[in-house]
Amino acid sequence: MKKVLSLLTFALAFVAMSFVGSHPGGYHVGDTARDFSLKNVDGNMVSLAGIKNAEGYIVIFTCNHCPYAKAYEDRIIALHNKYAPLGYPVVAINPNDKDVQPQDSYDKMKVRAKEKGFPFAYLYDETQEIAKAYGATRTPHVYLLDKDRVVRYIGAIDDNSEEPTEVKERYLENAIDALRDGSEVKVKETKAVGCTIKWRKA
Amino acid sequence: MSFTSNTSSFMRVSLLLLLLSAFGFSLSAQDIPFIKAEQITAWKNADTDTLYVLNFWATWCAPCVEELPAFEKLNKNYADKKVKVILISTDFKRNVEPKVKPFVKKRKLESTVVFMNESNPNNYIDLVDTAWSGAIPATLIVSKKKNVSRFFEKKLTYTELEAAVKEAL
C-alpha cells in the first residue's frame, strides 16, 4: 500500500511538473532559477556561481537578428556599465537555433559582440535547455535574479523598444533599484512584443 | 489615417471596412489605419455575428511572413461567411512608410492590414489574451456573440486556421 501511495505521489508530482514545464511562463516571480554553464563569445564557460561579488544577475535572452533585440543593444550595454559595478552584471543568452536562424549562430554572436563591444557575457544556449527552464519565449526577455537566484522581475527592459528617448517607465532599472535599497519591486512582470525564440525543429 | 478614441474609432474602422468591402476594394497599400489598444477591446466586444481573426505580425518576422498566405487564403475562402481577417502590424512606427506599405503592395495582401500604434506593448498584450507572452506570430480568433475566443502563440498552417474557424462558426 505504501508503495502504491508513493508511486501515486510520484506520478502526481510528475504530472504537476509536466504542467509547469508546459507553462509558457516557466519561472514565475519568487521561483529560484537554476544556474547554468554556457559558452561565452570569448570561448570560456560562464556560470552565475562563477561571477564574483554578484548581488544579483540581469539575465537577458536576446539574439543577433531580431530587430527588437537590436533596438535594445545599446541600452543593454548601458545597463551593464551602470549596474555591473554595483554587483548586477548583465548575462546575455542567445537561445536561438542556428539552423532555423543562421544569423544567430555562435560564430555570428562573436562577430556581433565584437562589433558592438559588448562589455557583458554573451552566452550560447545551444541545447535551448536554459531558455526552456526559464520559460523564455521571445527576444529580448529579461529575468532579474537576486544573489540567491530568486526571480524578482520578468519582462521588458522598458516601455518603448523603438524610441529610447521616449522611454517613460524603466521597468528593469526600477526593479534593480528596488532590490538595491531593499524595497518592494513594484512592477514585477511586464510583457513586450518580441521575436519568438527559434526552437530547434524536432 | 489615424484613429483616436474608443467607440468612435471602432465605428470609423467598421464604416471604413464596410465602405471598402461594398465597393469591392481591399485596403490599398497606401492606406494602413493606425489603431490603439482600445480597438482590440472593441473588436473583442463587438455586438455582431462577425468572427474576427486578429493576427499579430511584422514584416521582419520570418514565421509571420511564412503564415501570411494561410490568412490570405482564409480571407478569400470565407469572404461570404462573416469572417473578418485583420493583419495587425507590430513593426516599428518609422517602418510603416518605407517597409510595411511596400510589403503589403508587393505581396498584394487583400486582408485588412492595420498598424498597432502603441509604443508600449505591455498596454495591449493582456488585452488581446492573457496567455500571450508577446512573441509573434500570435493569432486571436474571437466573437463575443458566438462566445468564441481561441488564442495561438505560434505559426499556423491553413489547416489549423481553418479548423479553428470552422469550429467557431
Side-chain angles (χ1 to χ4, degrees):
Chain A
M1 185 63 195
K2 219 173 180 182
K3 209 171 183 179
V4 174
L5 265 178
S6 64
L7 258 174
L8 194 68
T9 313
F10 180 77
L12 277 174
F14 188 76
V15 169
M17 267 166 66
S18 63
F19 271 113
V20 170
S22 68
H23 192 284
Y27 291 143
H28 295 276
V29 169
D31 292 345
T32 300
R34 57 160 291 178
D35 201 348
F36 44 74
S37 178
L38 297 172
K39 198 169 163 189
N40 194 7
V41 282
D42 65 6
N44 295 319
M45 301 304 283
V46 169
S47 66
L48 297 178
I51 300 173
K52 298 273 180 287
N53 303 318
E55 295 294 320
Y57 313 91
I58 307 169
V59 177
I60 306 180
F61 291 90
T62 186
C63 66
N64 300 330
H65 91 277
C66 170
Y68 283 102
K70 278 186 186 160
Y72 274 108
E73 283 174 334
D74 290 340
R75 277 174 272 184
I76 295 171
I77 291 169
L79 270 168
H80 180 82
N81 289 339
K82 178 176 177 184
Y83 286 102
L86 303 172
Y88 291 85
V90 166
V91 179
I93 301 175
N94 166 27
N96 284 345
D97 184 71
K98 66 178 188 309
D99 295 327
V100 180
Q101 180 46 265
Q103 288 182 60
D104 290 331
S105 71
Y106 177 70
D107 285 341
K108 294 272 170 66
M109 285 172 65
K110 288 199 280 192
V111 171
R112 193 62 187 157
K114 201 174 173 191
E115 278 171 1
K116 295 296 294 182
F118 285 166
F120 46 80
Y122 187 25
L123 315 177
Y124 191 32
D125 182 16
E126 193 169 8
T127 64
Q128 307 187 314
E129 186 187 351
I130 305 306
K132 281 179 191 157
Y134 278 62
T137 59
R138 61 178 192 271
T139 55
H141 200 157
V142 175
Y143 292 77
L144 175 65
L145 316 181
D146 66 19
K147 68 163 119 184
D148 300 318
R149 297 199 314 275
V150 174
V151 180
R152 305 295 294 270
Y153 170 79
I154 301 175
I157 292 167
D158 57 42
D159 68 352
N160 195 322
S161 56
E162 181 172 4
E163 299 293 349
T165 55
E166 286 173 25
V167 168
K168 291 183 192 74
E169 291 283 334
R170 297 175 199 283
Y171 300 124
L172 175 58
E173 288 201 38
N174 293 344
I176 303 167
D177 292 344
L179 285 197
R180 292 193 63 229
D181 63 27
S183 62
E184 171 102 9
V185 175
K186 287 200 187 79
V187 179
K188 297 184 179 69
E189 269 188 74
T190 58
K191 287 178 175 180
V193 170
C195 304
T196 187
I197 288 178
K198 304 301 180 276
W199 301 109
R200 181 179 294 181
K201 292 210 167 81
Chain B
M1 188 178 298
S2 90
F3 297 115
T4 45
S5 73
N6 205 343
T7 44
S8 67
S9 75
F10 171 65
M11 285 177 66
R12 274 191 283 174
V13 170
S14 307
L15 191 65
L16 177 77
L17 300 181
L18 190 73
L19 279 171
L20 289 168
S21 55
F23 287 100
F25 292 134
S26 60
L27 281 172
S28 71
Q30 284 70 35
D31 211 357
I32 296 179
F34 281 30
I35 64 161
K36 301 295 279 183
E38 294 77 17
Q39 182 62 60
I40 304 292
T41 314
W43 278 323
K44 286 180 73 170
N45 293 323
D47 187 25
T48 98
D49 291 327
T50 301
L51 183 70
Y52 288 95
V53 179
L54 309 177
N55 172 249
F56 294 83
W57 71 291
T59 52
W60 45 258
C61 162
C64 304
V65 172
E66 283 162 22
E67 70 170 2
L68 277 179
F71 287 86
E72 285 286 280
K73 192 173 167 187
L74 184 82
N75 184 57
K76 205 172 177 181
N77 292 354
Y78 285 76
D80 57 350
K81 296 279 196 338
K82 291 190 177 171
V83 172
K84 185 76 216 162
V85 176
I86 301 170
L87 307 175
I88 303 171
S89 158
T90 61
D91 283 81
F92 287 142
K93 198 175 187 172
R94 61 170 172 270
N95 288 339
V96 172
E97 291 296 328
K99 299 242 170 89
V100 184
K101 285 186 179 179
F103 180 95
V104 170
K105 197 174 176 183
K106 192 178 164 211
R107 301 259 172 166
K108 299 187 174 68
L109 297 185
E110 294 195 349
S111 307
T112 299
V113 180
V114 299
F115 174 70
M116 193 74 214
N117 186 28
E118 290 281 356
S119 59
N120 185 6
N122 195 47
N123 293 340
Y124 68 83
I125 288 175
D126 281 342
L127 280 181
V128 175
D129 198 291
T130 51
W132 188 16
S133 82
I136 55 171
T139 299
L140 178 69
I141 297 173
V142 67
S143 164
K144 192 183 179 186
K145 225 172 171 179
K146 295 180 196 295
N147 201 19
V148 171
S149 183
R150 297 247 356 236
F151 177 75
F152 301 89
E153 183 174 306
K154 63 167 192 167
K155 183 173 89 175
L156 293 169
T157 63
Y158 183 73
T159 313
E160 288 170 313
L161 191 56
E162 191 184 34
V165 166
K166 270 188 173 161
E167 198 183 307
L169 284 176

